[in-house]
Amino acid sequence: MYVATDYPSYRLARRSQLLKRSALQEMLVAASRPEILSFALGLPAADLFPVDAYREAVATVLGDPRALQYGPPSEPLKRHIVQLMARRGVHCRAEQILLINGAQQGLALLAQLLLDDGGQVMLEELSYPGFQQVINLFRPAVVTVPTDPASGIDVEGVAACLARSRPAFLYAISSGHNPLGVSLTAEQQCELVALARHYRTPIVEDDAYGFIYYQDRPVPALRALDEEMVFYIGSFSKILAPALRTGWIIAPERFIPKLEIIKEASDIGTASLAQRTIAAVLDTGILPDHIAHLRRQYQARRDAMIQALEECFPLEAEWHTPDSGFFIWITLPEWVHSGELLARAIHEEQVAFVPGHAFCSQGGIHGTNCLRLNFSHCSIAQIEEGIARLGRLLKQQLVPTQMATVR
Amino acid sequence: MYVATDYPSYRLARRSQLLKRSALQEMLVAASRPEILSFALGLPAADLFPVDAYREAVATVLGDPRALQYGPPSEPLKRHIVQLMARRGVHCRAEQILLINGAQQGLALLAQLLLDDGGQVMLEELSYPGFQQVINLFRPAVVTVPTDPASGIDVEGVAACLARSRPAFLYAISSGHNPLGVSLTAEQQCELVALARHYRTPIVEDDAYGFIYYQDRPVPALRALDEEMVFYIGSFSKILAPALRTGWIIAPERFIPKLEIIKEASDIGTASLAQRTIAAVLDTGILPDHIAHLRRQYQARRDAMIQALEECFPLEAEWHTPDSGFFIWITLPEWVHSGELLARAIHEEQVAFVPGHAFCSQGGIHGTNCLRLNFSHCSIAQIEEGIARLGRLLKQQLVPTQMATVR
């Protein structure tokens, strides 16, 4: 048996040569220790999973051993998704749906469909890092558009960028923005879709959090406005449970065969068992009530975090109450470095969050004085405790230059 | 709501523009109708799935709702895989293992690690089409080496090709070859690994069928010979059930962090539920006996198919008894076109197989007079019936030019 050191190494593909876990990712691994109160990851609450419904569904489905076999995409599940999409204002057909392993795979497959190696992609200056992981493998030219913590993507900025570039697509989170927690208005959505049409630039709409909104009348998904220019990605991870690893793409029907080939090359297909189990859960009709329950529970956690922030954070910290999704975005004075703050938070207070620069699409400076807090995963008691600890640390941090004022 | 026809289309990535289901793939969809006796796909037998073990394991695992949460790769499952690999003669450590969604995903991830867009790949002239699907997305320069239905990859051919090319890697199936059903000898394996070392060309070893062998003393996997030059891919799809969508890569440890990033970009992670359930099944210790049972059962089906072939196929047909895997490769006289034969087989005899040219790595002529028969999926009675029908058709086919002789 020869071992690694006997040889000089062979060459990896160019896209892999620079791949490396960042210092931040290493720190977040440290933050996953059980003694840490973590507001870092976008995890749903495990205590809200419909475990009984899942247990019954899986028992039913295992009555037929074909549930454990390779199998074609589940038509009953596609029909359920067609119905479900009406709740996001979207009319679609089963023929436009591709079943996938969660929203992340949707991003990876659509990037393969649309993006050339070295091609252009347009995204917000603050955006989901998992999307950036996907496109980094294509070593793309990233076109960044401004985004506002209060109102989301700057549509005028998009117009200005599209006038001078021709990206393969625009990546957008129209509802439950990650990390900002904002939803676009109907007006912003109309303008965005009009720009997509005018410049023939498709939009990849990541709606992983789209069903978790706290308004009474949510704005429909972008896909409701245009079935040709918008590729939609949905997921059961936040409305049922992540371990089902099942989501869907809605695409123009003529691209579905191409996407099926790309999907097949990626992993043959989404597990029959997961597909059949979700279809069986949806057959029971519990999903609308379950989503309503989740929205109430997550809204209560959001409200508890906002209240704790108001009580414990220094006046210099700013935020907006999110109208959807799982996150609150905090802006601190310019001179605070949230990466250094995280190191202290973990070691001194056993609390974790994600520093803002992790979301910066240029890997750069933007967001270094910001942090993203997740409110869906911890209980209300943990939220109150964790925000109190973080507030204490922040006030210490702010004292050296100015007296922190209690809000 | 605008619809597709209102717009001229936008451009897809170059890799996607030519993606199209082949006529053969369409035909195989037709062959999946329930009235068709199919020897086409590489499906394991659903009646051999350990459904009860799975049902118990999933019930146990669902006792903890974290089984439905996002989660890190399962360390207990990795430890089970380390033990399991000893059965393939491989000594490895948990730190060298990446958990994935079945062997196909292993191919996709390793191609991303190793293969540049437009880069060179070396594979046998007859090889697994799913691998070809993966690399086609990279629009590679394919370097084809000869392969022999009786003995597998031509090692001298590999030497000759490596002397004049520098592929990113060689794709090899050392045991349970798909489509040929052969396993390499220890001598071939040693020569192959020596070439990989000499030319610093890693080997991607696809061992999806490696645990299903019919010899008493199987040759170990290539990975047993070299932990630096061989990337190994294994899967639970054939030894437990495909719907778990769980497999593993064994790679040099220093590449695991890069592979983890590529995996995370692809789909965040393999379902916690699948990982925990498989670990729970393996905890019971049933796997060694289960694999032994599968090997006996599949050997009986193989033997039944060989006997039926001897009884029903014309003398002009040639084959070797496979020593591993799920397939028998049949060579017919040069002038028989197995694609046309399939169309007749489906329509006239309700039997399906895969025509040989589907495995031809140059998409070309080689294998047009061959066919791949799967013997793992059908019952022995179905095998006897289906081979009798196919033999009848073949004899009709052969009559026009020469009198078919009954073997």
mmCIF file of all heavy atoms in Angstrom, chain B residues 346-366:
data_model
loop_
_atom_site.group_PDB
_atom_site.id
_atom_site.type_symbol
_atom_site.label_atom_id
_atom_site.label_comp_id
_atom_site.label_asym_id
_atom_site.label_seq_id
_atom_site.Cartn_x
_atom_site.Cartn_y
_atom_site.Cartn_z
ATOM 1 N N ILE B 346 -39.910 -4.801 -28.154
ATOM 2 C CA ILE B 346 -40.935 -4.127 -27.357
ATOM 3 C C ILE B 346 -42.310 -4.346 -27.979
ATOM 4 O O ILE B 346 -43.266 -4.729 -27.298
ATOM 5 C CB ILE B 346 -40.629 -2.622 -27.231
ATOM 6 C CG1 ILE B 346 -39.378 -2.404 -26.370
ATOM 7 C CG2 ILE B 346 -41.817 -1.861 -26.637
ATOM 8 C CD1 ILE B 346 -38.907 -0.965 -26.296
ATOM 9 N N HIS B 347 -42.410 -4.134 -29.275
ATOM 10 C CA HIS B 347 -43.727 -4.160 -29.900
ATOM 11 C C HIS B 347 -44.269 -5.564 -30.142
ATOM 12 O O HIS B 347 -45.439 -5.827 -29.948
ATOM 13 C CB HIS B 347 -43.710 -3.341 -31.198
ATOM 14 C CG HIS B 347 -43.468 -1.888 -30.917
ATOM 15 N ND1 HIS B 347 -42.315 -1.226 -31.312
ATOM 16 C CD2 HIS B 347 -44.192 -0.987 -30.211
ATOM 17 C CE1 HIS B 347 -42.359 0.017 -30.879
ATOM 18 N NE2 HIS B 347 -43.484 0.195 -30.208
ATOM 19 N N GLU B 348 -43.382 -6.478 -30.527
ATOM 20 C CA GLU B 348 -43.883 -7.805 -30.894
ATOM 21 C C GLU B 348 -43.860 -8.781 -29.724
ATOM 22 O O GLU B 348 -44.682 -9.672 -29.642
ATOM 23 C CB GLU B 348 -43.049 -8.383 -32.052
ATOM 24 C CG GLU B 348 -43.213 -7.548 -33.320
ATOM 25 C CD GLU B 348 -42.244 -7.984 -34.419
ATOM 26 O OE1 GLU B 348 -41.803 -9.157 -34.427
ATOM 27 O OE2 GLU B 348 -41.918 -7.129 -35.275
ATOM 28 N N GLU B 349 -42.884 -8.606 -28.816
ATOM 29 C CA GLU B 349 -42.723 -9.607 -27.750
ATOM 30 C C GLU B 349 -42.826 -9.020 -26.343
ATOM 31 O O GLU B 349 -42.685 -9.750 -25.357
ATOM 32 C CB GLU B 349 -41.371 -10.333 -27.903
ATOM 33 C CG GLU B 349 -41.224 -11.123 -29.203
ATOM 34 C CD GLU B 349 -42.066 -12.413 -29.239
ATOM 35 O OE1 GLU B 349 -42.687 -12.748 -28.211
ATOM 36 O OE2 GLU B 349 -42.091 -13.061 -30.301
ATOM 37 N N GLN B 350 -43.033 -7.719 -26.241
ATOM 38 C CA GLN B 350 -43.132 -7.081 -24.910
ATOM 39 C C GLN B 350 -41.940 -7.438 -24.007
ATOM 40 O O GLN B 350 -42.093 -7.774 -22.832
ATOM 41 C CB GLN B 350 -44.455 -7.441 -24.198
ATOM 42 C CG GLN B 350 -45.668 -6.676 -24.692
ATOM 43 C CD GLN B 350 -46.206 -7.241 -25.995
ATOM 44 O OE1 GLN B 350 -46.482 -8.427 -26.077
ATOM 45 N NE2 GLN B 350 -46.327 -6.409 -27.011
ATOM 46 N N VAL B 351 -40.757 -7.369 -24.600
ATOM 47 C CA VAL B 351 -39.518 -7.596 -23.850
ATOM 48 C C VAL B 351 -38.583 -6.427 -24.148
ATOM 49 O O VAL B 351 -38.574 -5.922 -25.274
ATOM 50 C CB VAL B 351 -38.798 -8.894 -24.280
ATOM 51 C CG1 VAL B 351 -37.606 -9.178 -23.366
ATOM 52 C CG2 VAL B 351 -39.760 -10.068 -24.247
ATOM 53 N N ALA B 352 -37.812 -6.005 -23.147
ATOM 54 C CA ALA B 352 -36.875 -4.904 -23.378
ATOM 55 C C ALA B 352 -35.480 -5.241 -22.874
ATOM 56 O O ALA B 352 -35.307 -6.061 -21.962
ATOM 57 C CB ALA B 352 -37.376 -3.639 -22.701
ATOM 58 N N PHE B 353 -34.489 -4.613 -23.498
ATOM 59 C CA PHE B 353 -33.076 -4.713 -23.084
ATOM 60 C C PHE B 353 -32.446 -3.386 -23.481
ATOM 61 O O PHE B 353 -33.132 -2.508 -24.002
ATOM 62 C CB PHE B 353 -32.405 -5.900 -23.796
ATOM 63 C CG PHE B 353 -32.514 -5.833 -25.290
ATOM 64 C CD1 PHE B 353 -31.625 -5.074 -26.049
ATOM 65 C CD2 PHE B 353 -33.549 -6.501 -25.955
ATOM 66 C CE1 PHE B 353 -31.768 -4.985 -27.429
ATOM 67 C CE2 PHE B 353 -33.693 -6.410 -27.334
ATOM 68 C CZ PHE B 353 -32.797 -5.647 -28.067
ATOM 69 N N VAL B 354 -31.156 -3.226 -23.262
ATOM 70 C CA VAL B 354 -30.499 -2.012 -23.750
ATOM 71 C C VAL B 354 -29.561 -2.375 -24.899
ATOM 72 O O VAL B 354 -28.696 -3.242 -24.749
ATOM 73 C CB VAL B 354 -29.720 -1.275 -22.646
ATOM 74 C CG1 VAL B 354 -29.097 0.004 -23.205
ATOM 75 C CG2 VAL B 354 -30.627 -0.924 -21.476
ATOM 76 N N PRO B 355 -29.740 -1.725 -26.056
ATOM 77 C CA PRO B 355 -28.840 -1.990 -27.191
ATOM 78 C C PRO B 355 -27.415 -1.563 -26.845
ATOM 79 O O PRO B 355 -27.201 -0.574 -26.149
ATOM 80 C CB PRO B 355 -29.393 -1.107 -28.313
ATOM 81 C CG PRO B 355 -30.763 -0.711 -27.876
ATOM 82 C CD PRO B 355 -30.752 -0.721 -26.383
ATOM 83 N N GLY B 356 -26.456 -2.305 -27.373
ATOM 84 C CA GLY B 356 -25.060 -2.106 -27.015
ATOM 85 C C GLY B 356 -24.506 -0.720 -27.281
ATOM 86 O O GLY B 356 -23.659 -0.223 -26.530
ATOM 87 N N HIS B 357 -24.986 -0.055 -28.322
ATOM 88 C CA HIS B 357 -24.360 1.228 -28.659
ATOM 89 C C HIS B 357 -24.628 2.294 -27.609
ATOM 90 O O HIS B 357 -23.951 3.308 -27.564
ATOM 91 C CB HIS B 357 -24.772 1.694 -30.061
ATOM 92 C CG HIS B 357 -26.232 1.938 -30.213
ATOM 93 N ND1 HIS B 357 -26.821 3.126 -29.877
ATOM 94 C CD2 HIS B 357 -27.227 1.128 -30.656
ATOM 95 C CE1 HIS B 357 -28.124 3.032 -30.122
ATOM 96 N NE2 HIS B 357 -28.390 1.841 -30.584
ATOM 97 N N ALA B 358 -25.600 2.038 -26.710
ATOM 98 C CA ALA B 358 -25.852 2.991 -25.620
ATOM 99 C C ALA B 358 -24.635 3.114 -24.701
ATOM 100 O O ALA B 358 -24.502 4.097 -23.973
ATOM 101 C CB ALA B 358 -27.058 2.540 -24.807
ATOM 102 N N PHE B 359 -23.769 2.130 -24.733
ATOM 103 C CA PHE B 359 -22.611 2.117 -23.831
ATOM 104 C C PHE B 359 -21.337 2.572 -24.525
ATOM 105 O O PHE B 359 -20.280 2.618 -23.916
ATOM 106 C CB PHE B 359 -22.411 0.702 -23.270
ATOM 107 C CG PHE B 359 -23.649 0.201 -22.603
ATOM 108 C CD1 PHE B 359 -24.568 -0.568 -23.291
ATOM 109 C CD2 PHE B 359 -23.935 0.575 -21.300
ATOM 110 C CE1 PHE B 359 -25.744 -0.991 -22.688
ATOM 111 C CE2 PHE B 359 -25.108 0.161 -20.695
ATOM 112 C CZ PHE B 359 -26.024 -0.616 -21.394
ATOM 113 N N CYS B 360 -21.472 2.865 -25.810
ATOM 114 C CA CYS B 360 -20.307 3.234 -26.593
ATOM 115 C C CYS B 360 -19.890 4.657 -26.247
ATOM 116 O O CYS B 360 -20.659 5.596 -26.428
ATOM 117 C CB CYS B 360 -20.642 3.112 -28.074
ATOM 118 S SG CYS B 360 -19.279 3.610 -29.093
ATOM 119 N N SER B 361 -18.676 4.803 -25.751
ATOM 120 C CA SER B 361 -18.274 6.104 -25.228
ATOM 121 C C SER B 361 -18.103 7.139 -26.326
ATOM 122 O O SER B 361 -18.036 8.317 -26.056
ATOM 123 C CB SER B 361 -16.998 5.979 -24.402
ATOM 124 O OG SER B 361 -16.005 5.341 -25.158
ATOM 125 N N GLN B 362 -18.011 6.728 -27.570
ATOM 126 C CA GLN B 362 -17.917 7.725 -28.633
ATOM 127 C C GLN B 362 -19.270 7.939 -29.300
ATOM 128 O O GLN B 362 -19.342 8.546 -30.371
ATOM 129 C CB GLN B 362 -16.854 7.329 -29.668
ATOM 130 C CG GLN B 362 -15.449 7.264 -29.107
ATOM 131 C CD GLN B 362 -14.869 8.638 -28.766
ATOM 132 O OE1 GLN B 362 -15.586 9.579 -28.440
ATOM 133 N NE2 GLN B 362 -13.553 8.744 -28.814
ATOM 134 N N GLY B 363 -20.342 7.463 -28.664
ATOM 135 C CA GLY B 363 -21.683 7.650 -29.222
ATOM 136 C C GLY B 363 -21.816 7.021 -30.588
ATOM 137 O O GLY B 363 -22.701 7.368 -31.365
ATOM 138 N N GLY B 364 -20.982 6.048 -30.898
ATOM 139 C CA GLY B 364 -20.832 5.628 -32.290
ATOM 140 C C GLY B 364 -21.254 4.228 -32.617
ATOM 141 O O GLY B 364 -22.276 3.725 -32.136
ATOM 142 N N ILE B 365 -20.424 3.571 -33.404
ATOM 143 C CA ILE B 365 -20.806 2.345 -34.074
ATOM 144 C C ILE B 365 -20.619 1.131 -33.173
ATOM 145 O O ILE B 365 -21.383 0.180 -33.213
ATOM 146 C CB ILE B 365 -19.940 2.174 -35.355
ATOM 147 C CG1 ILE B 365 -20.281 3.327 -36.323
ATOM 148 C CG2 ILE B 365 -20.173 0.840 -36.021
ATOM 149 C CD1 ILE B 365 -19.173 3.654 -37.283
ATOM 150 N N HIS B 366 -19.592 1.187 -32.353
ATOM 151 C CA HIS B 366 -19.246 0.025 -31.545
ATOM 152 C C HIS B 366 -20.448 -0.447 -30.717
ATOM 153 O O HIS B 366 -21.122 0.351 -30.096
ATOM 154 C CB HIS B 366 -18.097 0.395 -30.618
ATOM 155 C CG HIS B 366 -17.337 -0.787 -30.170
ATOM 156 N ND1 HIS B 366 -16.239 -1.267 -30.836
ATOM 157 C CD2 HIS B 366 -17.536 -1.625 -29.125
ATOM 158 C CE1 HIS B 366 -15.786 -2.329 -30.216
ATOM 159 N NE2 HIS B 366 -16.548 -2.577 -29.180
#
